[in-house]
Amino acid sequence: MKTRESGMPPEEQWSGFFDPATVLAQLGLGAEHRCVVDLGCGYGTFAIPAAQRCRGAVHALDIDSEMVARTQDQAAALGLSHLKAEQRDFLEQGSGLPTGAADYVMLFNLLHAERPELLLAEARRLLAPGGTLAVMHWNYDAATPRGPSMSIRLRPEQCQALVREAGFRVGPVLSLPPYHYGFTAVR
Ligand SMILES: C[S@@+](CC[C@H](N)C(=O)[O-])C[C@H]1O[C@@H](n2cnc3c(N)ncnc32)[C@H](O)[C@@H]1O
């Protein structure tokens, strides 16, 4: 089942909200990462630059077949054969990847889900000890041009608390201009 308020606007609009390469650099994704998982990859806005940044496998998962096709097409056009996009409902089916397989998991613009603890439990299962969870979310500011309704939008400290409760060691909040914040957490 699709998480609440997780629909996407047209790609040109969505990609204008971020500077993905800078976001990934700020959130510590590096060439040394061997297995990256993007839970709810959307258009591949972050999975594609992640695959350009690191040599290891990149698994991009989304429930929406159009998102998966778009991500896979871009990867093919750019010769990023280490990126695999797969249609998957990670709430119903999990990610399908082995326990401890990943060293970097991305949860971007998703923690306003009805049951964020389920997403975080899957991220924790996927990560090897010492692995990194990267979280990004819309600023708690009604003036952002998109983002979840303010009634379900999480403040940075609420996001951090959820991640801490899921068993991670949580780092400081970073500003990811113009509309987002993020942080990393260690498994
Ligand atoms: C708001 S978008 C964010 C996309 C991407 N993380 C980004 O920041 O560019 C959320 C994505 O999660 C996907 N999604 C929602 N529920 C899902 C589920 N149960 N399993 C897999 N993907 C899901 C949606 O289809 C959508 O593409």
Side-chain angles (χ1 to χ4, degrees):
M1 193 186 70
K2 224 175 202 184
T3 60
R4 63 184 174 181
E5 298 195 29
S6 65
M8 294 288 266
E11 185 174 1
E12 311 71 57
Q13 190 187 357
W14 185 255
S15 56
F17 297 145
F18 313 95
D19 176 356
T22 304
V23 167
L24 293 174
Q26 282 192 262
L27 295 178
L29 181 68
E32 73 280 8
H33 285 106
R34 290 169 296 98
C35 182
V36 174
V37 182
D38 187 3
L39 292 173
C41 65
Y43 294 111
T45 310
F46 295 92
I48 295 289
Q52 290 171 317
R53 200 172 169 82
C54 69
R55 288 182 289 276
V58 177
H59 298 275
L61 310 178
D62 204 286
I63 195 171
D64 186 322
S65 58
E66 276 181 44
M67 298 291 149
V68 173
R70 175 67 185 137
T71 304
Q72 195 64 66
D73 288 352
Q74 288 187 79
L78 293 165
L80 300 171
S81 56
H82 55 304
L83 189 159
K84 301 270 179 278
E86 193 187 336
Q87 185 180 10
R88 191 129 193 133
D89 179 341
F90 46 61
L91 288 177
E92 295 286 325
Q93 310 166 284
S95 65
L97 297 166
T99 297
D103 55 5
Y104 193 94
V105 172
M106 299 189 258
L107 265 177
F108 288 178
N109 299 308
L110 262 181
L111 276 185
H112 58 284
E114 295 86 338
R115 304 275 315 271
E117 71 278 10
L118 298 180
L119 303 182
L120 290 165
E122 181 60 5
R124 190 166 192 280
R125 186 191 70 77
L126 279 171
L127 281 165
T132 298
L133 171 67
V135 171
M136 181 178 64
H137 206 57
W138 288 93
N139 288 343
Y140 191 79
D141 175 2
T144 57
R146 178 105 193 165
S149 310
M150 291 310 288
S151 58
I152 60 165
R153 203 181 292 204
L154 297 168
R155 292 183 165 86
E157 57 275 20
Q158 290 175 301
C159 262
Q160 285 180 305
L162 285 171
V163 173
R164 200 174 292 116
E165 282 157 22
F168 290 87
R169 210 154 22 91
V170 174
V173 173
L174 306 170
S175 175
L176 304 172
Y179 304 122
H180 288 77
Y181 65 88
F183 57 88
T184 56
V186 177
R187 154 81 159 91

